[in-house]
Amino acid sequence: VAGIQLRQSSGINAEYGGPKSKLQNRLMFHLSHKFNDEKKLMGFHKNLQDIVEDQLSLASIHYLRSHYQEAIDIYKRVLLENSSNGGSKKDFLALNVYVA
């Protein structure tokens, strides 16, 4: 992602030439966690939507913060919703490792 600059000493800055995207929000969400910027983390958290990619991103942050039950709950919900929408459990096979 060419247009994103990171400055650990001054926090996280996103200089992005295009419109804001869901992917950019997820990336900045993870970088905020990495650099322990709780304020920005919460800001990016508010922008997450109820789509699979955002929910998996949220679950991974829960897992990294040792909030295992919250992560497992999200993984289970994703698996359940995927199978009820006609999707294959093979699509999310790796999630079963975390749920087990």
Side-chain angles (χ1 to χ4, degrees):
V1 180
I4 297 178
Q5 294 180 344
L6 300 178
R7 296 186 186 134
Q8 189 170 2
S9 61
S10 63
I12 299 171
N13 293 325
E15 294 179 14
Y16 183 68
K20 302 284 185 215
S21 70
K22 296 172 190 172
L23 176 60
Q24 180 187 14
N25 187 69
R26 289 191 298 272
L27 177 62
M28 298 308 291
F29 182 56
H30 280 270
L31 292 172
S32 298
H33 168 74
K34 180 168 180 61
F35 294 123
N36 296 315
D37 190 334
E38 196 68 23
K39 184 177 179 182
K40 288 192 183 211
L41 180 90
M42 289 295 122
F44 293 118
H45 178 267
K46 284 194 288 187
N47 294 330
L48 294 176
Q49 299 174 3
D50 193 21
I51 59 173
V52 172
E53 295 85 355
D54 283 359
Q55 292 306 300
L56 292 176
S57 184
L58 177 60
S60 69
I61 293 295
H62 280 309
Y63 189 86
L64 290 170
R65 296 176 130 203
S66 301
H67 301 159
Y68 302 117
Q69 191 58 52
E70 289 93 334
I72 290 169
D73 292 344
I74 292 170
Y75 292 142
K76 284 181 178 178
R77 192 178 83 229
V78 167
L79 285 170
L80 182 65
E81 287 175 0
N82 181 58
S83 64
S84 68
N85 290 335
S88 169
K89 284 195 174 185
K90 291 180 184 177
D91 294 338
F92 296 99
L93 191 59
L95 293 184
N96 290 306
V97 173
Y98 292 102
V99 173

